[in-house]
Amino acid sequence: MKKLTLILLFLSPLITLAQLRKGLVTDKNGEPIDGVSINLRRADSTLAVQISKNGLFSFQQPLKGTYILMLKAVGYRDMSQQINLPMDSVILMMISDDKTLDQVTVSASKPLIVRKIDRVIFNVENSIVASGATVWDALSKAPGVQTRFDGGVTANNKNVVIYMDDKPIRLSGEDLAAYLRGLPSDNIAKIEIIANPTARYDAQGGAVINIVSKKTKGDGFNIVLSGAYTQSTYGSYSPSMVFNYRKNKLNVYGSYGYNRRKKDHEESEYIIYNAPGGYSDWRNEKSGLRLGNANSYKIGADYNFTDKQVIGILINGYNGSNSRPNNILTTISNNHAVMPDSILHTQNFSNGKAYQYSFNINYKIKLDTNGRNINVDIDYVPYQNKNNQQVDTYGTLSNGSLLPDTYHIFTPSNQHIDIYSGKLDYTDKFWKKWTFESGLKYSSIRTHNSFDFYNNPASGPELLVNRSDRFMYTENISAIYTSIAGDLGKWSFEGGLRGEYTRINGKSIVLNTNNQNNYFKLFPTLFVVYKVDKDNEINFNYNSRISRPEYWRLNPFKSYTSPYAYLEGNPALQPAFIYNSELGYTYKQQYNISFYLRRTTDYFSNITVQDNTSKLFYDTQRNLDLSQELGFSTSFSAKPASWWEINNYVQGSYRLEKSGYLQACYDYHVWGVYLSSNHAFTINKAQGLKAEISAWYSSPTIQGIYHIARLYDVSAGLRKTLLKGQGTLRLAVNDIFYGNAYRIDVDYQNQKNGFTEKNDTRSVTLSFSYRLGGNPTAVRKRTSASEEEKKRTQ
């Protein structure tokens, strides 16, 4: 208790200045009423709002005079009470409203999955498997969302930009995964999967995922402490803390999360080199670890000058380190021999550190009471990533004798990114049912990349200048958008147009290349809904998007994993353009089906290339011609019993991949299906004991020349509330049958290779969270200026 008091004093010394006022709300039988909204008012102004817990509430403002308490609660009649402050205590009695209570009983249950015109909403707080662990774990349970071991995220087979409370997260890849693993999912209310974003959003990305925090309007101090331990092959843990302090016109909030991760990693790879006069079969068996430490933190404050003006500052930070020790055993068999001719032994060790900070200033003013307002955001985002890699290889013949050549290299690299951005948004309402939005945005990105290649023989490191490089990349984007939304009888419309002018320049010193590209592109959006009656509606939407490559894809450096394999980027990579259209039907806002057509031109992807003569294998980036998908999606729920709730999601598609590649072309077609089913069971409502089983399946599909095998996941969990509802204990088992192993095969022209990757996804997690002072208050929702840029950093 002494430590807790010190924490409270450190985080919010103003608490000591407040004068405590106590109150109790009861029913006519004297029983406390929980969840009552109590407004403290004077004249026409609301000074503070409290939510009763176990009937208790308090106001900490040092006020004096006559005030009004306005009380509202589900199942009770609204009431008001005049009080004179200061006052030590007050007891208020509310009268039940049987009519209101009956109405709420019918509709109080919030569905786990809700589908709206422009998004699918996954209510995390209603999911046992998704809540109680980390935000990264919750993300993988959302319908249509798939997460990968390397931090990749897709939604409905689209690449995504991830937001937190309508503010984009400036990380990607493993840094993004590490950041989200440091955040507790107990603080998350829902995840919004926005498959077709409106013109208000940046045009970057095929889709948007918005992670929405829980929110309350109560005054005072709130804190949530959480901790989780995960056991897979090795143990990992992630403590975290979220706090909020609200008083009068000031709201201060923040969070801290730490994640320590140790995962086993196994990979089996094959390459068949088949050239005229020679046949060689290479088999790589890789075993290693994925070690990481990550700190993620946030501090912000909002100050209301008046009820129409608010200014806010927000600082996000992330720093993490990782290391990857790997042992690779390569067996080489020539001319269809049963026994290998030679064996390569490779030790590959890499470690790195990443730092990222995000500084945001926001100002919003309401110009009138009809919805006319102006919003301004200014952002600065610095990011740095340092990485070192050591590769050592020696070989033996089939008789065990050593090969004469050995391979020892050391390759340090450094990436620094600065993002400056600003945006201005204007909103107005007219004719009561119509909303007009328009805005401007400018962003400037500067990246500096260095890569050194050292030959590392026994005599000492030797810098090879011709294999080192310096790469500079700049990108400037100017954007303007306008959108209008409203109703005409049974029709609802939302239409918008966004224009973006982009200027880029990528310069490689060693390669002596300077890639420049300037282009202007319009991105229209249209949403139409026709309400046949109160239960039936038909909807249609269309939009176009752009997918700009992440910065690491543009980096031309060669990162060697062995003497015969390396990775490299492509500074000449061009953006991809995405066109979406969808027609849907909704029944009672619970049953949904839609049919969609998606077309992507010039889409970029990593591509493997094998040289059958030199036995060299590398992974690079390039633009491909066309990816097209025709399909449907449907979501529906069922409740076989009062204690059993089922939510299902199905997506089916016919996919076409077509492009010229390696002096030939491919034209692949495949049918695919994605299935998701969630079953929630109330075992004992009085004791807060619930269970859940969640499962998904993704059929085999294609991406360029890659054939991707099927994936599936079955997870289960138990949740128990403790300590009068303030604590939550959770036990979850993830990927029970280890079906989330990634397998890719290539069989195209003279390219024949593939791999299977297992990333320790089967695990058991035990977590506990405890809430002090009520629910955490959500940050005022705002969209900062640095939108798509944040996702593309690495």
Side-chain angles (χ1 to χ4, degrees):
M1 187 65 186
K2 181 179 179 181
K3 292 182 178 179
L4 177 60
T5 303
L6 290 174
I7 292 173
L8 296 177
L9 291 174
F10 175 76
L11 292 175
S12 186
L14 291 177
I15 293 177
T16 59
L17 301 177
Q19 300 178 19
L20 181 63
R21 304 289 182 243
K22 298 180 180 179
L24 175 66
V25 185
T26 71
D27 60 17
K28 63 180 181 181
N29 297 319
E31 295 294 326
I33 304 174
D34 197 17
V36 180
S37 173
I38 305 108
N39 286 257
L40 180 64
R41 297 176 61 87
R42 191 170 193 177
D44 295 327
S45 300
T46 297
L47 303 179
V49 180
Q50 278 282 303
I51 305 296
S52 70
K53 294 194 67 66
N54 298 321
L56 298 173
F57 66 93
S58 64
F59 290 105
Q60 299 175 359
Q61 291 80 359
L63 303 173
K64 185 176 181 179
T66 302
Y67 296 85
I68 301 294
L69 289 178
M70 304 290 295
L71 281 69
K72 292 179 178 291
V74 174
Y76 294 87
R77 299 176 185 174
D78 294 349
M79 69 168 292
S80 62
Q81 177 70 45
Q82 180 175 299
I83 59 173
N84 293 314
L85 296 181
M87 178 184 292
D88 291 332
S89 63
V90 63
I91 299 177
L92 305 170
M93 184 180 71
M94 298 189 71
I95 306 300
S96 63
D97 186 343
D98 295 335
K99 181 178 179 180
T100 303
L101 184 61
D102 292 340
Q103 291 175 346
V104 172
T105 302
V106 175
S107 59
S109 179
K110 183 187 297 183
L112 182 66
I113 299 172
V114 177
R115 185 176 178 87
K116 293 189 175 182
I117 180 174
D118 64 338
R119 66 195 65 196
V120 173
I121 299 173
F122 176 58
N123 289 303
V124 175
E125 56 190 344
N126 288 358
S127 171
I128 299 172
V129 176
S131 62
T134 70
V135 174
W136 179 257
D137 297 321
L139 198 63
S140 66
K141 306 304 178 186
V145 177
Q146 288 184 286
T147 59
R148 288 189 54 196
F149 64 93
D150 58 0
V153 182
T154 60
N156 301 328
N157 296 328
K158 297 180 181 181
N159 65 317
V160 301
V161 179
I162 295 183
Y163 290 66
M164 177 75 74
D165 292 319
D166 269 347
K167 295 177 290 293
I169 299 175
R170 298 177 172 92
L171 295 168
S172 66
E174 294 184 355
D175 290 337
L176 171 66
Y179 173 76
L180 294 179
R181 288 189 185 103
L183 302 178
S185 61
D186 274 341
N187 194 43
I188 300 301
K190 58 186 177 181
I191 295 174
E192 299 176 332
I193 303 100
I194 309 172
N196 299 300
T198 63
R200 182 172 64 89
Y201 290 93
D202 282 338
Q204 165 67 16
V208 167
I209 292 179
N210 185 33
I211 302 168
V212 181
S213 302
K214 292 180 180 177
K215 44 185 148 314
T216 185
K217 297 181 180 179
D219 278 3
F221 184 78
N222 304 279
I223 185 170
V224 177
L225 304 174
S226 304
Y229 179 82
T230 299
Q231 182 67 49
S232 46
T233 303
Y234 303 97
S236 304
Y237 57 90
S238 54
S240 61
M241 179 269 290
V242 178
F243 78 91
N244 184 89
Y245 173 72
R246 183 188 296 270
K247 181 185 178 183
N248 297 333
K249 297 180 178 182
L250 178 66
N251 182 42
V252 181
Y253 55 91
S255 66
Y256 171 76
Y258 174 77
N259 178 263
R260 184 176 179 87
R261 188 168 180 256
K262 184 177 182 180
K263 289 287 186 177
D264 189 42
H265 180 84
E266 297 179 6
E267 184 176 342
S268 298
E269 184 181 44
Y270 70 91
I271 309 170
I272 308 297
Y273 294 109
N274 193 1
Y279 177 91
S280 186
D281 187 329
W282 292 49
R283 303 282 166 163
N284 297 322
E285 294 297 330
K286 304 179 182 180
S287 61
L289 297 174
R290 298 291 183 263
L291 308 172
N293 298 280
N295 297 273
S296 56
Y297 35 90
K298 174 174 66 176
I299 183 73
D302 290 326
Y303 184 79
N304 293 274
F305 293 110
T306 66
D307 58 351
K308 294 183 179 181
Q309 294 187 71
V310 59
I311 190 170
I313 59 172
L314 177 62
I315 302 173
N316 281 285
Y318 165 81
N319 62 277
S321 62
N322 66 82
S323 60
R324 292 185 171 188
N326 289 290
N327 292 308
I328 307 171
L329 186 67
T330 305
T331 58
I332 304 172
S333 302
N334 296 312
N335 300 319
H336 302 282
V338 177
M339 299 297 293
D341 297 286
S342 58
I343 300 175
L344 299 179
H345 306 263
T346 301
Q347 288 185 331
N348 186 320
F349 178 79
S350 65
N351 60 51
K353 293 182 179 180
Y355 309 86
Q356 186 214 265
Y357 305 96
S358 171
F359 304 94
N360 169 259
I361 298 177
N362 170 263
Y363 173 74
K364 184 174 183 178
I365 180 172
K366 297 179 181 179
L367 301 177
D368 56 29
T369 59
N370 296 322
R372 192 159 59 102
N373 60 70
I374 295 176
N375 187 85
V376 179
D377 275 285
I378 300 174
D379 285 82
Y380 170 58
V381 184
Y383 174 82
Q384 187 170 16
N385 188 336
K386 296 181 178 181
N387 190 73
N388 298 318
Q389 186 176 49
Q390 178 79 41
V391 179
D392 300 289
T393 299
Y394 70 91
T396 59
L397 295 173
S398 57
N399 59 10
S401 60
L402 291 173
L403 291 172
D405 295 329
T406 59
Y407 185 80
H408 305 279
I409 65 169
F410 174 63
T411 54
S413 62
N414 188 9
Q415 181 183 55
H416 184 84
I417 301 175
D418 286 303
I419 303 173
Y420 302 88
S421 54
K423 63 191 290 281
L424 171 68
D425 298 292
Y426 172 77
T427 304
D428 197 358
K429 290 187 177 182
F430 57 96
W431 298 341
K432 295 183 178 180
K433 294 185 178 181
W434 288 82
T435 300
F436 171 83
E437 288 184 304
S438 189
L440 303 168
K441 179 190 171 184
Y442 178 79
S443 63
S444 177
I445 300 99
R446 301 288 185 270
T447 72
H448 299 271
N449 308 271
S450 63
F451 177 83
D452 293 321
F453 189 101
Y454 290 89
N455 193 11
N456 200 21
S459 59
E462 176 188 356
L463 177 64
L464 302 183
V465 177
N466 63 332
R467 303 184 74 172
S468 304
D469 202 357
R470 300 293 183 269
F471 178 66
M472 279 73 74
Y473 176 83
T474 61
E475 179 180 278
N476 298 286
I477 303 174
S478 303
I480 183 172
Y481 81 92
T482 296
S483 67
I484 299 176
D487 299 328
L488 283 176
K490 293 186 176 183
W491 295 87
S492 297
F493 300 91
E494 181 173 351
L497 184 65
R498 186 179 188 91
E500 294 187 351
Y501 176 64
T502 305
R503 294 176 296 141
I504 62 175
N505 184 23
K507 184 177 182 180
S508 172
I509 303 300
V510 172
L511 297 179
N512 193 26
T513 59
N514 189 13
N515 294 283
Q516 295 182 339
N517 191 14
N518 301 334
Y519 57 90
F520 176 76
K521 185 70 175 178
L522 292 174
F523 302 96
T525 60
L526 176 64
F527 295 83
V528 181
V529 177
Y530 177 69
K531 296 180 180 179
V532 181
D533 52 40
K534 66 176 183 178
D535 293 332
N536 300 273
E537 66 179 37
I538 300 171
N539 55 76
F540 170 80
N541 64 71
Y542 170 83
N543 73 351
S544 64
R545 309 277 293 168
I546 188 174
S547 181
R548 297 183 178 90
E550 297 91 335
Y551 306 128
W552 63 267
R553 292 184 188 268
L554 301 166
N555 198 324
F557 303 159
K558 293 181 179 179
S559 176
Y560 283 82
T561 57
S562 76
Y564 303 94
Y566 64 85
L567 312 174
E568 69 172 353
N570 180 4
L573 212 57
Q574 299 297 307
F577 294 96
I578 308 163
Y579 307 92
N580 301 282
S581 57
E582 187 171 338
L583 178 65
Y585 166 73
T586 301
Y587 177 67
K588 289 188 174 180
Q589 299 298 320
Q590 295 182 3
Y591 306 95
N592 307 274
I593 185 169
S594 62
F595 301 89
Y596 66 89
L597 174 64
R598 182 184 311 135
R599 183 181 179 89
T600 305
T601 59
D602 294 327
Y603 84 98
F604 48 82
S605 172
N606 58 308
I607 291 292
T608 54
V609 181
Q610 62 182 75
D611 188 327
N612 291 323
T613 302
S614 64
K615 309 297 189 295
L616 187 66
F617 184 82
Y618 63 95
D619 187 305
T620 186
Q621 308 288 325
R622 67 156 290 172
N623 288 99
L624 302 171
D625 294 340
L626 175 66
S627 176
Q628 186 167 288
E629 190 172 323
L630 176 67
F632 75 93
S633 63
T634 181
S635 62
F636 53 94
S637 60
K639 200 165 186 178
S642 59
W643 47 268
W644 181 11
E645 181 181 352
I646 304 173
N647 286 277
N648 299 304
Y649 179 82
V650 178
Q651 181 180 0
S653 64
Y654 176 73
R655 191 165 185 172
L656 162 69
E657 298 276 338
K658 184 177 182 180
S659 181
Y661 180 59
L662 296 178
Q663 292 77 49
C665 63
Y666 61 84
D667 189 353
Y668 294 144
H669 304 256
V670 66
W671 291 92
V673 64
Y674 174 87
L675 308 173
S676 174
S677 186
N678 181 281
H679 299 252
F681 309 93
T682 302
I683 300 174
N684 190 314
K685 186 175 182 180
Q687 297 183 7
L689 183 61
K690 296 184 177 182
E692 186 175 332
I693 297 176
S694 176
W696 60 262
Y697 169 83
S698 180
S699 66
T701 186
I702 54 176
Q703 178 185 323
I705 63 172
Y706 295 144
H707 295 262
I708 304 174
R710 61 97 176 96
L711 296 167
Y712 65 93
D713 181 295
V714 178
S715 301
L718 286 171
R719 182 173 67 189
K720 176 74 169 67
T721 56
L722 304 169
L723 305 174
K724 297 182 179 180
Q726 296 292 97
T728 301
L729 184 67
R730 174 184 177 271
L731 177 67
V733 184
N734 295 294
D735 198 7
I736 297 172
F737 301 106
Y738 219 149
N740 208 353
Y742 204 68
R743 178 180 175 85
I744 284 181
D745 294 282
V746 174
D747 188 2
Y748 172 75
Q749 296 295 307
N750 58 356
Q751 311 284 298
K752 191 173 181 64
N753 56 77
F755 67 89
T756 300
E757 199 156 23
K758 301 182 72 175
N759 294 282
D760 225 1
T761 53
R762 181 164 55 190
S763 64
V764 178
T765 299
L766 181 66
S767 65
F768 178 75
S769 64
Y770 184 73
R771 180 178 295 113
L772 296 168
N775 294 321
T777 301
V779 186
R780 175 173 57 93
K781 291 187 68 174
R782 63 179 189 262
T783 306
S784 60
S786 49
E787 303 285 345
E788 71 245 39
E789 301 85 3
K790 298 190 286 188
K791 173 71 174 112
R792 297 163 60 204
T793 57
Q794 176 67 32

